[in-house]
Amino acid sequence: MSPAEKAAQLGSYWADERDSDQVIAPMQDTLSAGRRSFETVAADGIGQLTRVFGTRPVTAEEGRRQLAEAQRFLLTGTRLGIPALAHEECLTGFTTLGATVYPTSLAWAATFDPEAVHAMARRIGGDLHGVGVHQGLSPVLDVVTDYRWGRVEETLGEDPYLVGTLATAYVSGLEQSGVVATLKHFAGHASSRGGRNHAPVSVGHRELRDLVLVPFEMALRLGGARSVMNSYTETDRVPAAADRWLLTELLRQEWGFEGTVVSDYWAVPFLQAKHRVAGTVAEAARLALHAGIDMELPDLIGYARLDEDDPDPASTRADVDTALRRVLRQKIELGLLDRGWEPDPTGPAPELDNADNRAVARRLAEESVVLLANDGILPLAPDASGRVLLVGPCADDPGCLMGAYSFPIHVLARHPELGLGIEVTSLPEALRAELPQAEIAVLPGTPLVDADPELVAEAAEAARDSDLVICVVGDRAGMFGAGTSGEGSDAPGLELPGHQPELVEALLATGTPVVLVVVSGRPYALGRYLDRTAAVVQAFLPGSEGAPALARVLTGAVNPSGRLPVQVPASPAALPHTYLAPPLGQDGDKISNLGIAPAFPFGHGLSYTSFELSGPTLDADQVPVDGQLTASVRVANTGERAGATVVQLYADDPVAQVTRPVQQLVGFARVELAAGEAAVVDFTLHADRFSFVGVAGERVVEPGEVVLSTGHSVGDLTGSASLQLVGATRRTGPGRELVTGVAVTREG
């Protein structure tokens, strides 16, 4: 291969035909390679094709044809005839016209249901594979540390074990469908200062290892992910795209990763334009390549210039060959270099919004809805005949149900003539179907962000004449400030956006019972409303089946089972805060005038039935530092209807050589029980599950006391048991046990 042919395999081509103000990626208008023809760019071949389906509205059939034409050119119009990998976004489903929109990742996390997440990923992977796409740029494994960050909706919450477990389920589902899963953003994107997009990250080595990196290690080792995408951020002043320790020494040499590392869009030229660690694009490209980025996305910009003013050509050639072997090996694994491989699709294009997809989307949406508070007003009787006011900026806008990386929000915002591109039931339609005898009036109440006192007054007047108010507030996702949630749509604080608080206050002042429904991409501070609302329901952008799911939860056709993967703050001043803080970061002891106790803690969620949960029974009270134990927990449905609960197991390390979280999730099990039914959950934990990075910077299991507690949430623990880890302090290696075993045995 010639140097130009090698470099071409390390880059991508994006047929980007939009105006400069229609961007869907950061600095796209200034850093894009421009509108060069595919034949020109790919004259020596190309490594990947960027978003053939996800850039502009094309049908599945059109996209397949365009992809096949590009592949045919590579096969017959280039000297080597090497096909390209095609990649697409797939965070809330295949990001293309007419595809099912699943709930956001934060909603998956609220299900605590790895099986459901795996089933969704199999459906998404099947759709991608069915149209010729090889790589999906998902999932997001960033652990939330500041709720103001715009991309909270894309994450799986604030606990690394929950994130890692559900991400592993997603990855394995995508990979089993024959599609390469891409872990992002490696590493620390969600830990940016001030919750601001692309801001520097301030974490030490221990926090990086114990909080940020754990989910990536799980998804690579246990899920089999074959690709990793770098983070845009910089940690301790080193940009991730130029961090050889992160991308090579840790990822490859320590963890043994053999797949490809792809750049986040324009992360390579960012090293010059944003981070200023390179004087030229060519220098930036050499930095990224040497750090360990094998593939430049979405355009071939920097890697096309690797030889410009190169002070060490031999070293660059060696780095090129290393990356090239990884890229070609992945193409071989995918069958692209098999003799006789043909790009032409056979049979009809798959239906991307079929009944099976919708069934999985509906399951996830229903399981993700969290009942935060309820004075008994819910569930609403299906034969209720009173006057119901459905009010709020999110009450009658199906777009508010979807995340920023869904195609209707991500792309179709620039094509209003196409609407949402799929059939989506609105919440008023869904409620009227569930409450056929009720008189349901619908009002906006207030714009999402702007002020309109007349709308607020109109809503308050209607509320006084109603028997019940369902107030739907929250977010509408959008990119780079076009929404109140999503990439680049960071929040200044944790009050509900815009003038929604004024609407809520006006409705509460009427004295009519108010059910507050929050449909959002992040948790908002709700403490000021709690003693005046009849019920509070949280849904994290539940997707195209979100409205029926909400209606069925409100009326009791579905018993709510969602649990919080993030805390809901009581006060907007609780910044930044997650439940994993060490003692000094917790609320209490009158150490500050700013209280940070949450309104609802991690893991919280109510049901229309009741569950009784025992404390843990341990099969040993002493365990070697390299041994394991079983903690058994009995859970019973003591109510009058079937339901699901999430049994949660937490660990507390009362005395350690470094400060540790007061409680940390080490196991969980979603258990469905009929009325009166009981089960025993056995959690099997290796001592590695209590490891942490110690004073010397090495991961250790330390002898001493560990307290295991069970609970309905981290704030509602039902019992505890103490054990002693015995022996000398033990170093753990990369092969340590990462998962707690779970077995559920039903009684009788």
Side-chain angles (χ1 to χ4, degrees):
M1 297 177 70
S2 70
E5 288 170 331
K6 290 180 178 181
Q9 288 298 316
L10 307 184
S12 190
Y13 176 79
W14 194 358
D16 184 9
E17 300 175 352
R18 286 160 295 112
D19 294 334
S20 62
D21 62 341
Q22 295 179 336
V23 299
I24 56 175
M27 297 182 69
Q28 178 178 338
D29 52 336
T30 58
L31 291 177
S32 174
R35 296 180 181 176
R36 299 178 294 164
S37 72
F38 176 62
E39 291 76 13
T40 299
V41 175
D44 293 308
I46 201 72
Q48 292 208 14
L49 296 170
T50 295
R51 300 187 66 178
V52 173
F53 295 84
T55 298
R56 60 185 181 86
V58 296
T59 65
E61 193 60 57
E62 287 178 288
R64 283 208 309 177
R65 177 182 53 79
Q66 293 174 13
L67 179 55
E69 288 175 356
Q71 298 285 35
R72 198 174 303 113
F73 170 81
L74 294 172
L75 282 175
T76 62
T78 64
R79 185 179 75 88
L80 297 175
I82 300 175
L85 267 72
H87 75 257
E88 295 287 344
E89 297 285 358
C90 57
L91 189 65
T92 61
F94 186 2
T95 304
T96 193
L97 180 67
T100 301
V101 177
Y102 295 90
T104 56
S105 309
L106 197 60
W108 316 345
T111 71
F112 280 69
D113 190 346
E115 180 184 315
V117 172
H118 180 84
M120 175 192 63
R122 288 297 300 266
R123 301 299 311 172
I124 295 171
D127 288 342
L128 292 167
H129 190 268
V131 296
V133 173
H134 309 98
Q135 182 165 0
L137 303 187
S138 293
V140 171
L141 280 72
D142 297 306
V143 179
V144 175
T145 58
D146 192 324
Y147 307 144
R148 293 172 296 180
W149 192 53
R151 305 185 78 166
V152 169
E153 65 171 63
E154 298 180 39
T155 76
L156 289 158
E158 66 184 65
D159 180 87
Y161 186 64
L162 177 64
V163 173
T165 301
L166 297 181
T168 297
Y170 181 98
V171 165
S172 64
L174 209 64
E175 291 280 355
Q176 287 170 19
S177 301
V179 175
V180 175
T182 309
L183 309 184
K184 59 187 192 182
H185 306 88
F186 196 63
H189 204 15
S191 301
S192 58
R193 290 178 182 168
R196 181 178 176 271
N197 195 38
H198 287 214
V201 170
S202 299
V203 297
H205 180 73
R206 270 171 283 278
E207 188 171 356
L208 185 69
R209 288 275 196 171
D210 285 342
L211 182 76
V212 174
L213 295 178
V214 168
F216 290 93
E217 190 174 2
M218 291 177 68
L220 288 172
R221 282 184 47 198
L222 307 176
R226 288 181 284 175
S227 191
V228 171
M229 175 181 281
N230 75 283
S231 169
Y232 284 128
T233 51
E234 56 192 53
T235 302
D236 198 19
R237 302 301 176 92
V238 178
D243 192 342
R244 185 170 174 82
W245 172 82
L246 180 71
L247 300 179
T248 296
E249 294 175 18
L250 173 75
L251 180 62
R252 297 193 181 279
Q253 295 171 8
E254 183 176 330
W255 289 357
F257 177 62
E258 296 182 347
T260 58
V261 175
V262 301
S263 79
D264 206 340
Y265 284 15
W266 296 294
V268 173
F270 271 7
L271 292 175
Q272 179 203 23
K274 294 286 285 182
H275 300 288
R276 301 201 302 181
V277 296
T280 66
V281 172
E283 185 181 349
R286 290 190 290 270
L287 280 174
L289 185 67
H290 184 66
I293 291 182
D294 306 307
M295 174 67 63
E296 181 183 8
L297 303 183
D299 289 319
L300 181 59
I301 299 177
Y303 284 8
R305 304 178 182 179
L306 285 167
D307 61 350
E308 293 180 8
D309 301 318
D310 188 355
D312 191 355
S315 177
T316 300
R317 286 195 298 270
D319 288 338
V320 166
D321 287 348
T322 297
L324 180 62
R325 290 188 188 97
R326 295 168 184 153
V327 169
L328 293 179
R329 182 169 59 241
Q330 195 155 91
K331 290 189 177 186
I332 292 170
E333 290 174 356
L334 292 166
L336 293 177
L337 300 187
D338 290 353
R339 186 180 301 275
W341 181 85
E342 289 288 340
D344 296 297
T346 58
E351 183 185 348
L352 301 179
D353 193 29
N354 58 55
D356 290 337
N357 284 6
R358 284 287 183 142
V360 173
R362 182 166 57 252
R363 173 186 175 184
L364 279 159
E366 290 177 351
E367 290 185 6
S368 70
V369 177
V370 186
L371 178 61
L372 295 178
N374 185 21
D375 69 358
I377 197 170
L378 297 181
L380 305 175
D383 59 352
S385 59
R387 289 173 299 188
V388 177
L389 174 63
L390 182 62
V391 60
C394 301
D396 195 16
D397 181 359
C400 290
L401 303 171
M402 302 179 186
Y405 268 84
S406 66
F407 195 79
I409 304 301
H410 203 60
V411 176
L412 291 186
R414 290 171 293 281
H415 301 272
E417 73 280 4
L418 295 176
L420 297 176
I422 55 174
E423 292 294 326
V424 182
T425 302
S426 70
L427 187 54
E429 292 172 315
L431 269 177
R432 287 178 179 131
E434 294 293 326
L435 299 172
Q437 298 181 43
E439 178 187 337
I440 299 177
V442 183
L443 290 174
T446 182
L448 188 71
V449 174
D450 298 329
D452 192 331
E454 291 185 5
L455 287 180
V456 174
E458 178 189 23
E461 184 63 29
R464 293 187 187 95
D465 294 332
S466 300
D467 299 304
L468 174 69
V469 174
I470 301 175
C471 179
V472 189
V473 294
D475 287 314
R476 199 181 202 278
M479 305 288 284
F480 310 113
T484 58
S485 176
E487 182 175 2
S489 295
D490 307 315
L494 294 180
E495 284 279 14
L496 288 166
H499 293 265
Q500 294 180 89
E502 285 92 325
L503 171 64
V504 177
E505 290 289 354
L507 295 172
L508 291 171
T510 66
T512 302
V514 174
V515 174
L516 185 64
V517 178
V518 184
V519 181
S520 64
R522 64 168 61 83
Y524 285 106
L526 303 179
R528 61 191 279 192
Y529 311 121
L530 295 185
D531 60 349
R532 294 174 288 160
T533 51
V536 182
V537 175
Q538 173 72 59
F540 294 113
L541 305 182
S544 54
E545 289 291 323
L550 276 167
R552 286 168 62 80
V553 167
L554 291 172
T555 60
V558 168
N559 194 350
S561 59
R563 299 294 183 268
L564 287 175
V566 287
Q567 304 205 111
V568 171
S571 163
L575 290 168
H577 183 61
T578 74
Y579 93 96
L580 287 170
L584 199 60
Q586 298 286 339
D587 202 47
D589 298 328
K590 307 295 184 184
I591 57 177
S592 172
N593 64 307
L594 298 177
I596 58 174
F600 300 104
F602 177 87
H604 173 78
L606 302 179
S607 171
Y608 296 147
T609 188
S610 56
F611 294 95
E612 186 177 274
L613 188 64
S614 75
T617 300
L618 309 184
D619 66 351
D621 56 11
Q622 286 194 349
V623 178
V625 292
D626 60 352
Q628 70 177 32
L629 76 151
T630 298
S632 300
V633 185
R634 184 179 186 271
V635 56
N637 182 343
T638 56
E640 297 181 352
R641 61 174 294 176
T645 190
V646 178
V647 179
Q648 301 163 46
L649 184 68
Y650 294 90
D652 174 24
D653 189 349
V655 179
Q657 57 183 272
V658 297
T659 62
R660 304 281 294 130
V662 174
Q663 297 288 348
Q664 184 162 5
L665 185 73
V666 291
F668 65 89
R670 179 186 169 88
V671 182
E672 297 185 7
L673 296 171
E677 189 179 16
V680 174
V681 181
D682 293 320
F683 294 101
T684 302
L685 301 95
H686 192 277
D688 287 352
R689 297 290 291 116
F690 310 121
S691 67
F692 59 90
V693 177
V695 170
E698 299 174 332
R699 181 169 292 280
V700 297
V701 179
E702 190 177 44
E705 183 184 21
V706 173
V707 178
L708 291 176
S709 301
T710 50
H712 299 292
S713 74
V714 73
D716 183 11
L717 301 179
T718 56
S720 62
S722 177
L723 67 102
Q724 290 288 326
L725 295 175
V726 295
T729 298
R730 179 177 68 89
R731 283 184 55 192
T732 64
R736 75 185 189 281
E737 292 292 331
L738 295 169
V739 174
T740 298
V742 177
V744 179
T745 305
R746 298 179 186 278
E747 293 184 350

